[in-house]
Amino acid sequence: MSIPNEALQKLVQEIETQAVNAQREINVVKATIVSKQRDIRMLELTSTEVKQLSTNTNVYEGVGKM
């Protein structure tokens, strides 16, 4: 009771497609993680700089494009 070659080839092709899609999703997640880590580092640096200011220093918040 063996599986026909055509069925095996179809099964292998489906598995390969799933593997490619999974790898693509992994790459997207890795890129997102790197981006978020960069954002965290920038926020930590900003927070450190702001904490070093005296309490009577005027600090302005960006509001976007004018």
Side-chain angles (χ1 to χ4, degrees), residues 34-55:
V34 168
S35 175
K36 295 301 180 186
Q37 287 174 335
R38 189 179 317 114
D39 290 346
I40 289 169
R41 181 72 180 134
M42 289 297 294
L43 290 170
E44 287 173 345
L45 289 171
T46 301
S47 177
T48 301
E49 291 294 319
V50 170
K51 286 179 183 177
Q52 292 176 359
L53 298 173
S54 65
T55 56

Side-chain angles (χ1 to χ4, degrees), residues 2-4 8 15 18 25-32 37 43-45 48 52-53 59-62 66:
S2 66
I3 301 173
L8 287 174
I15 291 171
Q18 289 176 353
E25 289 178 18
I26 288 170
N27 290 338
V28 168
V29 170
K30 285 181 179 179
T32 303
Q37 287 174 335
L43 290 170
E44 287 173 345
L45 289 171
T48 301
Q52 292 176 359
L53 298 173
V59 179
Y60 299 95
E61 182 179 346
M66 293 183 69

